[in-house]
Amino acid sequence: MNSDGVCYLDIGDAYFRGDWGAAVNGYWSPMYSWWLGLALHMLKPSLRWEFITVHFVNLIIYVVALFSFRFFIHSVLRAIREDDTGRADDSVPLPEWVLLGLGYCIFLWASLVLIDPGLVTPDLLVAGIVFLIGGCLVDLRIHQSYGKFAVFGVLCGAAYLGKAIMFPLGFGFLGILLFSGRRSKRRVCGALLSALLFMVVSSPFIAALSKQKGRLTFGDSGRLAYASLVSPGSPQVHWQGEPTGS
């Protein structure tokens, strides 16, 4: 257990007891807290089993992230096969089994070393959503449908609810969506549909957070992380406003 994990647990409890003032938070995003809070609310473990329950939720998230990566890498392989059908020269990419082996090795390294599912953080949850976004981007290069555009917008909104940085990145994903395939009226309308659903999913939390802070904001994690790690470099764990209270 880490300090952020304790905060996510507290926020999850606040959501399920209806304490909205404590639940809406500019630093810790809500989605991971929802899943932790739901598990603890449904299973009601004793204090002794709470820690194990939390890591069981992390295990489920890991499996979901694995299948999300599977969707992404098979979307890439399908796109390569379709590109090969129109290839005029004799060059060929690496065999699929090599790409699959490399892909899953990179996934294991990223998910077990870079992210570390032993920590109680939303990083792996957000990674799983980003894998789905990447797979949709690859698929929508050629196979366009309004249903897929709608799913893409919802995923961008879900990523923001996982981590605040995904809100500005969501607009980047929408830009990639618009320019990654042959531009047509269908693609432009599909990108607009994705943008609309992205805002529909994101707006309720932005509105609640902005109302609480008294200013328009999608989250303060970037500002606080910069203050902690760069300037002035104040310790982040158990910080109470010292030395200046600002």
Side-chain angles (χ1 to χ4, degrees):
M1 180 58 70
N2 52 316
S3 58
D4 276 353
V6 175
C7 296
Y8 282 113
L9 285 169
D10 289 343
I11 292 170
D13 290 339
Y15 272 109
F16 280 88
R17 68 172 181 265
D19 186 359
W20 310 117
V24 177
N25 190 283
Y27 187 78
W28 293 284
S29 297
M31 180 174 286
Y32 187 54
S33 294
W34 293 344
W35 290 116
L36 295 179
L38 178 64
L40 297 179
H41 180 74
M42 292 181 62
L43 299 177
K44 294 181 171 55
S46 65
L47 188 61
R48 178 177 181 178
W49 286 91
E50 185 175 284
F51 179 82
I52 296 173
T53 302
V54 169
H55 280 282
F56 181 70
V57 173
N58 271 8
L59 176 62
I60 295 174
I61 291 173
Y62 183 86
V63 173
V64 171
L66 174 61
F67 278 92
S68 298
F69 180 79
R70 182 183 184 277
F71 167 74
F72 167 70
I73 196 169
H74 280 278
S75 297
V76 172
L77 292 176
R78 184 167 58 250
I80 291 173
R81 287 194 297 268
E82 292 172 351
D83 288 344
D84 284 346
T85 59
R87 191 186 297 272
D89 53 29
D90 295 331
S91 62
V92 293
L94 292 171
E96 285 195 6
W97 67 270
V98 175
L99 294 175
L100 282 170
L102 287 172
Y104 281 110
C105 285
I106 292 171
F107 170 81
L108 288 171
W109 171 68
S111 60
L112 297 178
V113 178
L114 292 182
I115 294 177
D116 187 0
L119 296 178
V120 184
T121 71
D123 294 1
L124 194 58
L125 174 63
V126 175
I129 299 172
V130 172
F131 291 142
L132 294 176
I133 290 173
C136 287
L137 278 174
V138 173
D139 192 41
L140 282 166
R141 287 174 59 241
I142 300 174
H143 305 286
Q144 302 178 34
S145 73
Y146 287 118
K148 291 179 181 179
F149 282 117
V151 169
F152 182 83
V154 171
L155 287 173
C156 288
Y160 160 64
L161 296 177
K163 275 207 166 189
I165 185 59
M166 302 309 294
F167 184 72
L169 287 179
F171 293 100
F173 292 143
L174 290 169
I176 295 171
L177 175 66
L178 180 60
F179 294 105
S180 61
R182 185 175 62 85
R183 285 197 296 278
S184 62
K185 181 179 179 180
R186 185 183 186 89
R187 177 166 289 275
V188 172
C189 291
L192 289 174
L193 175 62
S194 297
L196 175 64
L197 289 174
F198 172 42
M199 294 307 300
V200 166
V201 175
S202 303
S203 294
F205 186 70
I206 292 175
L209 190 58
S210 298
K211 181 179 179 181
Q212 183 193 71
K213 300 294 182 182
R215 55 184 166 84
L216 182 62
T217 179
F218 63 86
D220 291 328
S221 58
R223 178 185 300 181
L224 294 172
Y226 186 89
S228 171
L229 300 174
V230 181
S231 176
S234 302
Q236 191 173 20
V237 178
H238 307 309
W239 179 71
Q240 298 296 317
E242 63 274 11
T244 62
S246 63

